[in-house]
Amino acid sequence: DGGITQSPKYLFRKEGQNVTLSCEQNLNHDAMYWYRQDPGQGLRLIYYSQIVNDFQKGDIAEGYSVSREKKESFPLTVTSAQKNPTAFYLCASSIDATGFLETQYFGPGTRLLVL
Amino acid sequence: ILNVEQSPQSLHVQEGDSTNFTCSFPSSNFYALHWYRWETAKSPEALFVMTLNGDEKKKGRISATLNTKEGYSYLYIKGSQPEDSATYLCAFIRSGGSNYKLTFGKGTLLTVNP
């Protein structure tokens, strides 16, 4: 089955710890995205990547880092600099490598909680 | 900061009712509008991507219209079924510059009672 997988489903972070959220897609899509959802808010873009080895900051990139070494993988690291990391994180991908006109396909999400 | 507003915030209807809700966005520099459906415990899934003023799209009992001059889109569901219960998200893309991205509204939560 083609799709996007995210792991883990739940993740707990201790103070001062970096954690990495996994996102893998087998749709052969060029573009991948990370969004954050907080209660009562719309999805907000953290980072996006249009091609391998390239990525751009979104609206709320501070305290996060990403890499795009392979087309199918776009891991997100939540660093200790992110002071309020508790949220639901969604990864998405799209065929288009030139913009946001194409439909985005979403993963099931990871809920990050701070201990 | 772009403002994408969705109304109502939540909606309860009876099975068989038809319903509609609104997505409002800035009318200047319009590029595209996406609609997504997000069922509880599932991934958001795409409904429509709309680009032209006056556009009307349909998928089964769900349809959407677009007015870029006044900055709104309506989503209609005809004969609502319990399986239509979900949060419906719209996302706006503004043209201009090199940083195209989706700005999402907060969603409309639809509950269809059997």
Side-chain angles (χ1 to χ4, degrees):
Chain A
D1 276 320
I4 300 179
T5 56
Q6 290 186 242
S7 61
K9 192 171 180 179
Y10 295 95
L11 187 58
F12 298 91
R13 192 191 95 163
K14 294 180 182 177
E15 292 287 340
Q17 188 181 42
N18 292 356
V19 291
T20 298
L21 284 60
S22 167
C23 178
E24 305 276 330
Q25 54 100 357
N26 60 4
L27 300 167
N28 200 33
H29 286 175
D30 284 316
M32 296 186 75
Y33 315 84
W34 275 106
Y35 293 93
R36 169 179 170 144
Q37 189 197 33
D38 293 281
Q41 295 206 38
L43 298 177
R44 291 184 291 166
L45 183 66
I46 305 172
Y47 268 98
Y48 66 100
S49 167
Q50 293 175 322
I51 54 173
V52 174
N53 292 322
D54 186 53
F55 46 83
Q56 307 292 330
K57 292 182 180 180
D59 294 321
I60 53 167
E62 187 174 346
Y64 299 97
S65 66
V66 292
S67 63
R68 187 86 188 277
E69 295 175 4
K70 298 186 294 182
K71 188 175 184 178
E72 57 270 21
S73 178
F74 190 39
L76 174 75
T77 296
V78 184
T79 74
S80 56
Q82 173 49 243
K83 297 307 177 191
N84 186 21
T86 296
F88 187 68
Y89 291 86
L90 274 172
C91 178
S93 70
S94 66
I95 296 173
D96 186 41
T98 60
F100 286 72
L101 195 59
E102 296 293 329
T103 295
Q104 295 195 4
Y105 294 80
F106 287 85
T110 292
R111 186 165 298 281
L112 177 61
L113 299 162
V114 176
L115 296 176
Chain B
I1 296 176
L2 293 177
N3 236 10
V4 179
E5 302 286 342
Q6 290 190 248
S7 61
Q9 198 171 358
S10 65
L11 192 56
H12 288 253
V13 301
Q14 288 299 124
E15 182 175 354
D17 287 350
S18 293
T19 187
N20 65 85
F21 22 93
T22 307
C23 173
S24 301
F25 50 84
S27 56
S28 60
N29 301 319
F30 176 85
Y31 185 67
L33 188 85
H34 291 224
W35 279 102
Y36 290 87
R37 175 170 64 194
W38 193 358
E39 293 179 65
T40 303
K42 294 188 178 179
S43 307
E45 60 173 6
L47 289 172
F48 309 113
V49 178
M50 308 179 83
T51 56
L52 299 174
N53 184 45
D55 228 359
E56 187 167 337
K57 301 245 178 175
K58 191 173 180 182
K59 188 175 183 177
R61 293 178 292 98
I62 303 176
S63 60
T65 61
L66 179 66
N67 184 324
T68 61
K69 295 189 186 308
E70 295 182 41
Y72 64 84
S73 175
Y74 292 141
L75 190 81
Y76 300 91
I77 303 179
K78 186 177 176 182
S80 303
Q81 299 297 310
E83 58 264 31
D84 295 328
S85 297
T87 296
Y88 291 82
L89 303 174
C90 70
F92 166 74
I93 307 172
R94 186 181 62 180
S95 66
S98 59
N99 188 17
Y100 291 74
K101 61 178 181 65
L102 292 175
T103 299
F104 281 85
K106 295 177 184 179
T108 292
L109 174 61
L110 174 67
T111 304
V112 182
N113 299 312

